[in-house]
Each structure stands twice: as C-alpha cells, then as structure tokens.
Amino acid sequence: MNRSHAAGYRPQIAAPVVCRRAAAVGRVTRAAHRCGRSAITLMEVLVVVSIIGMLMALLLPAVQASRESARRNTCENHVKQLSLAALNHEAAFGRFPSGGWGFGWVGDPDRGTGPSQPGGWAFDLLPYLERTDLARIGAGLSEPKKKAAVTAVLSVPLDVFNCPTRRALQVSAFDPNVQPANFNIPPGIAESDYAINAGDFILKPTYGPKSYADADKPSYQWPDNSKCTGICYLRSEVKIAQIADGTGHTYLIGEKYAVAGGWDPGDDQGMYSGYDYDTYRWTKLPLSPDRRQPWINRFGSAHPTTCQFAFCDGSVRPISFDIDASVHRLLGNRKDGTPIDDATIE
C-alpha cells in the first residue's frame, strides 16, 4: 500500500527558509529589546541624583540642629556648675567671690578670696570646681618664683569655662601691649566664654595698682565701687542677703558676647585675670549674638537664638536675644526694687 494513502498519515513539510530566518530575527529583536530595557539612561541618573540632593537638603539642617542642641546642653551644664561653685563659695565665706584689682593682675594663691585678692572670680572658684591644684600653684614662693609658677597656670584651659558652640577648648593669644604686674607674659592664655554679673552700672576696668606695696597702702585710691549693682565687681563683697530683688530674679553668671572671627579686646586677658572685660559683663546694653563688632560690655553667645544664664538661686534659663532690654537690665541689678513679671523672662 502506498504510504500516501495510509490512514492517518500526514506528510512532513519542511518550514520555508524565509520563516526560519524570521524566527531567528525575532529572537534577536526580543533579546535586544530585553537588553535595552535593563540599561540606565542619563535622565534616570539625573532624577536619582536630584532625589538624593533633596534628601540631603532636608537631612543636614536636622543633623546640625541636633548637634547644636547637644552643644547647648553642654553649655547649660557648664553654667550650672559655675553657679553652684559660686553659691558654695558664698556658703563657705558668707559672700560671693570678689572681683579682683584689674587687668594687670591675676590670681595669687596666698591672698585669699576677698578684696585683697588681685585675681578675679574664676580664680576664686577653682577649689569649688575640684581644681585646688591650680589655685595653690606658687603658694609660699618668693615673688620672682611665684610669678613664673602663676604664669604657667594661665595657659591651662578648663572645659567648664568653654562653650563648645563658640570654640574648641584651647589657648588664645595674650594682649602684648599689657605689662603684667604679678605674672610674666604667657605664651598663651586660657579664656572663658562666661562672665559674672557686674550689674547695670559700668565701672570701667583699669590696670590696677602698680605693685603689692601700693595696693596694701591705706592711702591708695581705689576706684569708687559704691554705685555697682551686680554680684561681683572691683573688690566686691556681696552677700546673698544683699540681693534685695530676689535670687530668682537676679543674674549670677551668663555667657559673654565675643567677636565672631578676629581679635577681641574683651577676650584677650584670660579667665584668671582680675577685674576686666574678659570675665565681667553688664546689663546696661542689650543681649547680642556673636558678631564682628567689639562689644566688650555685653552678655551674649554663639548660639542662634538664646544666651544661657544662671540666676542667684542656682537655676539656669535660656534667655532670648529678643528679651526686652529694660527687663534684661533689671535682671542685672540686685537692688533696683522694680518687680519683674516671670512671663517677661525668656
């Protein structure tokens, strides 16, 4: 029987050459199409970069704000420690630290903490900040040897006097125009970012007496400090009972204003010096954030919106740069007798 006539037989017909070629072309086309879809275009790269840039723009301010918040908390803690040291001093001696003699002098380990002490409040507080070792350097030595010993102390910075928002813990350049009275010119000085409240009456700082002999003469004419209204100033002896306006409404210690970049005449003598602009400020002028003007009388800070202040009751509050200037002035005067609304202290 012929196979062509057998039941169910279907002849196998070879696919045309054209069809085979079309199928091959189709496979190549689909493969190329798949490869084309997996590639990244320039537009897609630009979109991704733009998204990353937007996310970074949103994230960086938050990171910076978080860091500033941490620095501000550290600064607040430093102000608190200094205020507690001042209150402990008052508890021990019945008065706050005295203000020293002038910018030509620094702390003397053999002169106590009263009006006979040429150094300022920062030196007086060293024993209450667990740095009695610094306060006693040079004690009992002859004057030339004591000068050398005391000079070494001037270059020792302390973290508790530093605001991390403003600067790192470091030493600064000493004013070369000053000829020291009881120390030698130091290679560098430790600075303070904090000042004590000297009131709203500005008694201008001076060099002070030329020698110990002059200072100890009963006839020596000291500047008249009777109009001073603060807690610590030239040869002061302020008792807590003399804060007539209340300890919770009188500044004790706050951040000081400093020039933002460049030399500052209110930041060139060091924190261990006597009565001077470096560690004493007044409330006669308003608060200000750090700028380029040399405002040596003011309180202020490197923080964006506030300045940290400790009050005489030991509390610490952030005071806005927008505080009413008259309220700020009253908070520096311990005895003006003017009532202050707590709502205005912010």
mmCIF file with all atom_site columns, all heavy atoms in Angstrom, residues 135-146:
data_model
loop_
_atom_site.group_PDB
_atom_site.id
_atom_site.type_symbol
_atom_site.label_atom_id
_atom_site.label_alt_id
_atom_site.label_comp_id
_atom_site.label_asym_id
_atom_site.label_entity_id
_atom_site.label_seq_id
_atom_site.pdbx_PDB_ins_code
_atom_site.Cartn_x
_atom_site.Cartn_y
_atom_site.Cartn_z
_atom_site.occupancy
_atom_site.B_iso_or_equiv
_atom_site.pdbx_formal_charge
_atom_site.auth_seq_id
_atom_site.auth_comp_id
_atom_site.auth_asym_id
_atom_site.auth_atom_id
_atom_site.pdbx_PDB_model_num
ATOM 1  N N   . ALA A 1 135 ? 44.782 76.349 91.951 1.00 0.00 ? 135 ALA A N   1
ATOM 2  C CA  . ALA A 1 135 ? 44.671 77.517 92.830 1.00 0.00 ? 135 ALA A CA  1
ATOM 3  C C   . ALA A 1 135 ? 45.865 77.640 93.769 1.00 0.00 ? 135 ALA A C   1
ATOM 4  O O   . ALA A 1 135 ? 46.189 78.748 94.225 1.00 0.00 ? 135 ALA A O   1
ATOM 5  C CB  . ALA A 1 135 ? 43.377 77.439 93.636 1.00 0.00 ? 135 ALA A CB  1
ATOM 6  N N   . ARG A 1 136 ? 46.545 76.542 94.067 1.00 0.00 ? 136 ARG A N   1
ATOM 7  C CA  . ARG A 1 136 ? 47.643 76.563 95.032 1.00 0.00 ? 136 ARG A CA  1
ATOM 8  C C   . ARG A 1 136 ? 49.021 76.607 94.385 1.00 0.00 ? 136 ARG A C   1
ATOM 9  O O   . ARG A 1 136 ? 50.035 76.669 95.090 1.00 0.00 ? 136 ARG A O   1
ATOM 10 C CB  . ARG A 1 136 ? 47.564 75.331 95.949 1.00 0.00 ? 136 ARG A CB  1
ATOM 11 C CG  . ARG A 1 136 ? 46.286 75.246 96.771 1.00 0.00 ? 136 ARG A CG  1
ATOM 12 C CD  . ARG A 1 136 ? 46.074 76.488 97.604 1.00 0.00 ? 136 ARG A CD  1
ATOM 13 N NE  . ARG A 1 136 ? 47.192 76.727 98.542 1.00 0.00 ? 136 ARG A NE  1
ATOM 14 C CZ  . ARG A 1 136 ? 47.453 77.881 99.113 1.00 0.00 ? 136 ARG A CZ  1
ATOM 15 N NH1 . ARG A 1 136 ? 46.723 78.947 98.828 1.00 0.00 ? 136 ARG A NH1 1
ATOM 16 N NH2 . ARG A 1 136 ? 48.473 77.996 99.963 1.00 0.00 ? 136 ARG A NH2 1
ATOM 17 N N   . ILE A 1 137 ? 49.089 76.587 93.090 1.00 0.00 ? 137 ILE A N   1
ATOM 18 C CA  . ILE A 1 137 ? 50.398 76.647 92.427 1.00 0.00 ? 137 ILE A CA  1
ATOM 19 C C   . ILE A 1 137 ? 51.090 77.977 92.738 1.00 0.00 ? 137 ILE A C   1
ATOM 20 O O   . ILE A 1 137 ? 50.524 79.049 92.553 1.00 0.00 ? 137 ILE A O   1
ATOM 21 C CB  . ILE A 1 137 ? 50.251 76.463 90.903 1.00 0.00 ? 137 ILE A CB  1
ATOM 22 C CG1 . ILE A 1 137 ? 49.871 75.020 90.580 1.00 0.00 ? 137 ILE A CG1 1
ATOM 23 C CG2 . ILE A 1 137 ? 51.533 76.850 90.174 1.00 0.00 ? 137 ILE A CG2 1
ATOM 24 C CD1 . ILE A 1 137 ? 49.678 74.742 89.114 1.00 0.00 ? 137 ILE A CD1 1
ATOM 25 N N   . GLY A 1 138 ? 52.313 77.902 93.236 1.00 0.00 ? 138 GLY A N   1
ATOM 26 C CA  . GLY A 1 138 ? 53.091 79.088 93.573 1.00 0.00 ? 138 GLY A CA  1
ATOM 27 C C   . GLY A 1 138 ? 52.942 79.545 95.005 1.00 0.00 ? 138 GLY A C   1
ATOM 28 O O   . GLY A 1 138 ? 53.605 80.518 95.418 1.00 0.00 ? 138 GLY A O   1
ATOM 29 N N   . ALA A 1 139 ? 52.097 78.880 95.778 1.00 0.00 ? 139 ALA A N   1
ATOM 30 C CA  . ALA A 1 139 ? 51.863 79.308 97.164 1.00 0.00 ? 139 ALA A CA  1
ATOM 31 C C   . ALA A 1 139 ? 53.147 79.241 97.980 1.00 0.00 ? 139 ALA A C   1
ATOM 32 O O   . ALA A 1 139 ? 53.888 78.255 97.939 1.00 0.00 ? 139 ALA A O   1
ATOM 33 C CB  . ALA A 1 139 ? 50.793 78.424 97.808 1.00 0.00 ? 139 ALA A CB  1
ATOM 34 N N   . GLY A 1 140 ? 53.429 80.314 98.727 1.00 0.00 ? 140 GLY A N   1
ATOM 35 C CA  . GLY A 1 140 ? 54.581 80.348 99.623 1.00 0.00 ? 140 GLY A CA  1
ATOM 36 C C   . GLY A 1 140 ? 55.908 80.654 98.964 1.00 0.00 ? 140 GLY A C   1
ATOM 37 O O   . GLY A 1 140 ? 56.925 80.754 99.662 1.00 0.00 ? 140 GLY A O   1
ATOM 38 N N   . LEU A 1 141 ? 55.926 80.816 97.663 1.00 0.00 ? 141 LEU A N   1
ATOM 39 C CA  . LEU A 1 141 ? 57.191 81.087 96.976 1.00 0.00 ? 141 LEU A CA  1
ATOM 40 C C   . LEU A 1 141 ? 57.536 82.569 97.033 1.00 0.00 ? 141 LEU A C   1
ATOM 41 O O   . LEU A 1 141 ? 56.676 83.426 97.279 1.00 0.00 ? 141 LEU A O   1
ATOM 42 C CB  . LEU A 1 141 ? 57.104 80.643 95.516 1.00 0.00 ? 141 LEU A CB  1
ATOM 43 C CG  . LEU A 1 141 ? 56.869 79.147 95.254 1.00 0.00 ? 141 LEU A CG  1
ATOM 44 C CD1 . LEU A 1 141 ? 56.792 78.893 93.759 1.00 0.00 ? 141 LEU A CD1 1
ATOM 45 C CD2 . LEU A 1 141 ? 57.963 78.298 95.895 1.00 0.00 ? 141 LEU A CD2 1
ATOM 46 N N   . SER A 1 142 ? 58.801 82.875 96.781 1.00 0.00 ? 142 SER A N   1
ATOM 47 C CA  . SER A 1 142 ? 59.219 84.273 96.669 1.00 0.00 ? 142 SER A CA  1
ATOM 48 C C   . SER A 1 142 ? 58.558 84.888 95.438 1.00 0.00 ? 142 SER A C   1
ATOM 49 O O   . SER A 1 142 ? 58.107 84.173 94.535 1.00 0.00 ? 142 SER A O   1
ATOM 50 C CB  . SER A 1 142 ? 60.735 84.359 96.546 1.00 0.00 ? 142 SER A CB  1
ATOM 51 O OG  . SER A 1 142 ? 61.175 83.708 95.354 1.00 0.00 ? 142 SER A OG  1
ATOM 52 N N   . GLU A 1 143 ? 58.517 86.203 95.390 1.00 0.00 ? 143 GLU A N   1
ATOM 53 C CA  . GLU A 1 143 ? 57.782 86.867 94.303 1.00 0.00 ? 143 GLU A CA  1
ATOM 54 C C   . GLU A 1 143 ? 58.269 86.485 92.909 1.00 0.00 ? 143 GLU A C   1
ATOM 55 O O   . GLU A 1 143 ? 57.443 86.183 92.033 1.00 0.00 ? 143 GLU A O   1
ATOM 56 C CB  . GLU A 1 143 ? 57.833 88.382 94.496 1.00 0.00 ? 143 GLU A CB  1
ATOM 57 C CG  . GLU A 1 143 ? 56.933 89.127 93.521 1.00 0.00 ? 143 GLU A CG  1
ATOM 58 C CD  . GLU A 1 143 ? 56.760 90.591 93.872 1.00 0.00 ? 143 GLU A CD  1
ATOM 59 O OE1 . GLU A 1 143 ? 56.812 90.926 95.076 1.00 0.00 ? 143 GLU A OE1 1
ATOM 60 O OE2 . GLU A 1 143 ? 56.581 91.400 92.958 1.00 0.00 ? 143 GLU A OE2 1
ATOM 61 N N   . PRO A 1 144 ? 59.576 86.453 92.622 1.00 0.00 ? 144 PRO A N   1
ATOM 62 C CA  . PRO A 1 144 ? 60.003 86.058 91.266 1.00 0.00 ? 144 PRO A CA  1
ATOM 63 C C   . PRO A 1 144 ? 59.595 84.625 90.920 1.00 0.00 ? 144 PRO A C   1
ATOM 64 O O   . PRO A 1 144 ? 59.144 84.354 89.804 1.00 0.00 ? 144 PRO A O   1
ATOM 65 C CB  . PRO A 1 144 ? 61.527 86.204 91.315 1.00 0.00 ? 144 PRO A CB  1
ATOM 66 C CG  . PRO A 1 144 ? 61.787 87.168 92.423 1.00 0.00 ? 144 PRO A CG  1
ATOM 67 C CD  . PRO A 1 144 ? 60.735 86.892 93.445 1.00 0.00 ? 144 PRO A CD  1
ATOM 68 N N   . LYS A 1 145 ? 59.752 83.703 91.865 1.00 0.00 ? 145 LYS A N   1
ATOM 69 C CA  . LYS A 1 145 ? 59.390 82.313 91.611 1.00 0.00 ? 145 LYS A CA  1
ATOM 70 C C   . LYS A 1 145 ? 57.870 82.160 91.490 1.00 0.00 ? 145 LYS A C   1
ATOM 71 O O   . LYS A 1 145 ? 57.364 81.368 90.699 1.00 0.00 ? 145 LYS A O   1
ATOM 72 C CB  . LYS A 1 145 ? 59.934 81.404 92.701 1.00 0.00 ? 145 LYS A CB  1
ATOM 73 C CG  . LYS A 1 145 ? 61.449 81.275 92.696 1.00 0.00 ? 145 LYS A CG  1
ATOM 74 C CD  . LYS A 1 145 ? 61.929 80.317 93.786 1.00 0.00 ? 145 LYS A CD  1
ATOM 75 C CE  . LYS A 1 145 ? 63.448 80.164 93.750 1.00 0.00 ? 145 LYS A CE  1
ATOM 76 N NZ  . LYS A 1 145 ? 63.930 79.235 94.808 1.00 0.00 ? 145 LYS A NZ  1
ATOM 77 N N   . LYS A 1 146 ? 57.150 82.913 92.288 1.00 0.00 ? 146 LYS A N   1
ATOM 78 C CA  . LYS A 1 146 ? 55.691 82.851 92.213 1.00 0.00 ? 146 LYS A CA  1
ATOM 79 C C   . LYS A 1 146 ? 55.201 83.361 90.863 1.00 0.00 ? 146 LYS A C   1
ATOM 80 O O   . LYS A 1 146 ? 54.267 82.817 90.281 1.00 0.00 ? 146 LYS A O   1
ATOM 81 C CB  . LYS A 1 146 ? 55.068 83.668 93.333 1.00 0.00 ? 146 LYS A CB  1
ATOM 82 C CG  . LYS A 1 146 ? 53.541 83.593 93.362 1.00 0.00 ? 146 LYS A CG  1
ATOM 83 C CD  . LYS A 1 146 ? 52.930 84.528 94.386 1.00 0.00 ? 146 LYS A CD  1
ATOM 84 C CE  . LYS A 1 146 ? 53.194 84.067 95.780 1.00 0.00 ? 146 LYS A CE  1
ATOM 85 N NZ  . LYS A 1 146 ? 52.462 84.884 96.788 1.00 0.00 ? 146 LYS A NZ  1
#
